[in-house]
Amino acid sequence: LLYNNAEGRSLSQSINMASASMAMIGVCAMSSKILTAESANEDDFDAVLQYDEASKPDGLIGYGEGAAMVAGIAFTTPASGLKLTHVKTWYCPGSLLNSDIEVYILSGGGSLDDADIVWQQTYNHVINAADEKGSFITIPLAEAQMFFPGEKFYIVLSYPLNAANPQGGVKFDNPVSGRYFFPYDGVWMDIVDSPIAQYGFMIKALSDNNQVSSWISLESPASGAVPAGGSVDVSLKVDA
C-alpha cells in the first residue's frame, strides 16, 4: 500500500483529464447468476455513506481496454461529521492479476472541477486467477480524513489502463444529478448527462471509528465560579 499526502493540488494536476470520448463509455451487462461477493462487513463500521444497498452490480462500467476508467462520487457528511477511514467499491480487474488503483479524496471549491486533493494513495490489488465479474473491495486509507458536519467531499478512483470495465454500476429508476462523475474533455461530466444516465458507481465512504473532534476545544476548567462583577480568562484550542 503506497500513499502520500497530496493536499492542495487539483485533480487535473494529478491525472490525465483528456479521457476517452464520452461515446466510448459503456456498460457491460452482468449475468443474473453472479454470486454476491464479500469484503469487509459493513456492520463493523460506525458510519457508511452510500446511495445504494445493492449486493451486486447491474453492469460493469468502463471504456474498454483503450482508456483508463476514472470514477468520481460526491458525498455530504451527516450532522455528526465524518472520519473517513475506508473506501469500498465494486472492482472488476478482468485478466489483471496485479493491478493498482489510484485513490483520491478531495474537498473544497464549488464542484469537483475546482476541489483540492486532500489525500492520495495507491491501492495494490492481487488475485490468483482472472476475474471477469469482480467483487467488492474495501480500501483502508493510510491516514483518516476528517470532514465537518455538512461538508461536501469527493472520492475519485482511477483504474488501471487494461481493466476494460472495472467499475461496478447500479441502475436507478430516478437518477439524481450531482452524485456521480467521470472526466470528459477536461472537465467532470455528471453521469446523468451521459449515455449511461441511469447508472451510478458502487462506491461507498466508510468510517470504522467515527469520533469526529471539534475544530475548537476548551482547555480551561469546564466548571467553576466567577464572582459578581469579576472575570476569568478562558483558554481555547483552535485546530484550523
Side-chain angles (χ1 to χ4, degrees):
L1 185 71
L2 306 175
Y3 63 92
N4 67 287
N5 189 333
E7 184 173 358
R9 290 190 289 114
S10 68
L11 198 54
S12 61
Q13 295 173 311
S14 302
I15 65 172
N16 180 13
M17 292 288 286
S19 62
S21 167
M22 182 170 63
M24 292 176 59
I25 195 167
V27 179
C28 177
M30 296 294 295
S31 167
S32 60
K33 296 181 180 179
I34 186 172
L35 299 177
T36 300
E38 298 293 339
S39 65
N41 189 335
E42 290 177 16
D43 291 339
D44 296 333
F45 292 88
D46 293 340
V48 179
L49 301 188
Q50 60 186 5
Y51 294 120
D52 71 88
E53 297 181 350
S55 60
K56 59 184 179 181
D58 294 316
L60 298 173
I61 301 172
Y63 294 108
E65 294 184 357
M69 178 65 195
V70 180
I73 189 169
F75 289 111
T76 299
T77 62
S80 59
L82 184 74
K83 181 179 181 181
L84 180 65
T85 61
H86 294 72
V87 172
K88 186 173 183 177
T89 185
W90 187 285
Y91 173 50
C92 178
S95 61
L96 298 179
L97 302 186
N98 190 316
S99 56
D100 288 338
I101 301 172
E102 295 295 329
V103 180
Y104 301 89
I105 310 299
L106 302 93
S107 67
S111 68
L112 185 49
D113 285 306
D114 53 12
D116 290 326
I117 298 173
V118 296
W119 185 257
Q120 175 188 350
Q121 69 182 55
T122 302
Y123 176 76
N124 181 239
H125 183 69
V126 179
I127 53 178
N128 296 321
D131 181 4
E132 300 296 339
K133 295 181 178 179
S135 64
F136 271 124
I137 60 172
T138 303
I139 302 172
L141 299 186
E143 184 175 305
Q145 300 300 305
M146 306 290 290
F147 297 101
F148 296 121
E151 185 175 359
K152 177 174 280 190
F153 69 96
Y154 306 89
I155 298 170
V156 174
L157 302 178
S158 181
Y159 293 102
L161 180 63
N162 292 322
N165 295 283
Q167 178 63 66
V170 62
K171 199 170 185 178
F172 292 95
D173 293 331
N174 299 295
V176 177
S177 63
R179 291 180 175 178
Y180 308 104
F181 304 88
F182 63 92
Y184 170 66
D185 198 23
V187 297
W188 288 96
M189 171 69 66
D190 192 316
I191 203 168
V192 301
D193 299 319
S194 77
I196 56 170
Q198 287 189 298
Y199 281 86
F201 304 133
M202 297 175 71
I203 300 174
K204 306 182 182 188
L206 310 177
S207 176
D208 65 1
N209 181 21
N210 200 37
Q211 301 298 315
V212 181
S213 59
S214 173
W215 64 275
I216 186 168
S217 58
L218 178 67
E219 293 194 324
S220 299
S223 61
V226 179
S231 64
V232 64
D233 292 332
V234 175
S235 177
L236 300 175
K237 180 181 178 181
V238 177
D239 184 13

